[in-house]
Amino acid sequence: MNTHACTSSRLTTFHRATALALTGALLGACSLLGGEDKAAEAGRTSEVVLVTHDSFSLPEELLAEFREEYGHEVVVRSSGDAGALSAKLALTKENPTGDVAFGVDNTFASRVLDEGVFAPYDPPRAPGAGRYELPEGSDRLTPVDVAAVCVNIDDTWFAKQDVAPPRTLADLTKPAYRDLMVTPAASTSSPGMAFLLTTVAAFGEEWPAYWSELLDNGLKVVDGWSDAYYTDFTQGGEGGERPIVVSYDSSPAFTVPEGAEKSTTSALLETCFQQVEYAGVLKGAANPEGARDLVAFLQEPETQAALPESMYVFPVVTGVDLPEDWARYAARPEDPYTVDPADIATNRDKWLQQWTDLTTE
């Protein structure tokens, strides 16, 4: 999912209240793996190494709770975005650099599964998480969070210019939106790859023709999401000049001015591609028990409640309250685009080569 590049390391007051309520509801009950007594059984703190992307972030309070409950100290080793992470996992599969990986999403999962990166581990699914399982690989990858990559627009720019905003993918090729859109590259960015897959799902074999129309209409392609959103997008805060950007369905929750009742941006919900991030135990892990404990911990309600403001993604577990701004402003697509992971595995290299040829002409 990637996900938003910026991170937060503290629970808000809302999350503290949510965490306390969830903790109270769970008193007397075991965690997903009955890890409540693991720390006592261990007698000491071991080290579990988490290999992840650069956007991973959980509150220190949560990591301290994991250490106390399970007896493992989490050591985080980050490695670029989801694409870079997947590539590194494949390259180091014979000598893994950690015990557990988080952040492989459904656009890259087939590649690492085919490479045999993950060991079998299929914990009980928390309520609701099962709907995000992979058709193949559910015994190795556990769903943790979900988000959608969507085209976002600066509503204030369109109102000020008295221009009707786009609503659909087809709209983006119209002359009214010439030189107004920016996207991260499919070759170097997880959301960029998701947008490419959106067009594959929407236009089938005609997707290259659609991209040609976008490029002819002045589409700007940059390396990563941060460049697109913060530098080029008019609501990114750095004087950007493009009011249309490929971002996330959660993005509008972060562009609400203080004291305002409305976000300055919106996600075009007819342009969205669903991304799910997974965690799994690495084959050859030095601490497989710690890895399994951490995978289970990522599905526990308190951890899920921290995901929105820590990593800007939605929980996969049902019944977890969202932050107030998310509930009001982060509208979710009812029917996002998807592409079968097997089709992605078969065609990824071909699609990326076609995309590269188009965008470098």
Side-chain angles (χ1 to χ4, degrees), residues 83-94:
L85 170 65
S86 300
K88 182 175 181 178
L89 291 174
L91 288 172
T92 60
K93 65 180 181 179
E94 301 300 332

Side-chain angles (χ1 to χ4, degrees), residues 154-165 234-235 243 264:
D154 178 355
D155 294 305
T156 60
W157 186 94
F158 284 100
K160 185 176 180 179
Q161 299 296 323
D162 196 24
V163 175
T234 49
Q235 282 289 325
T264 59

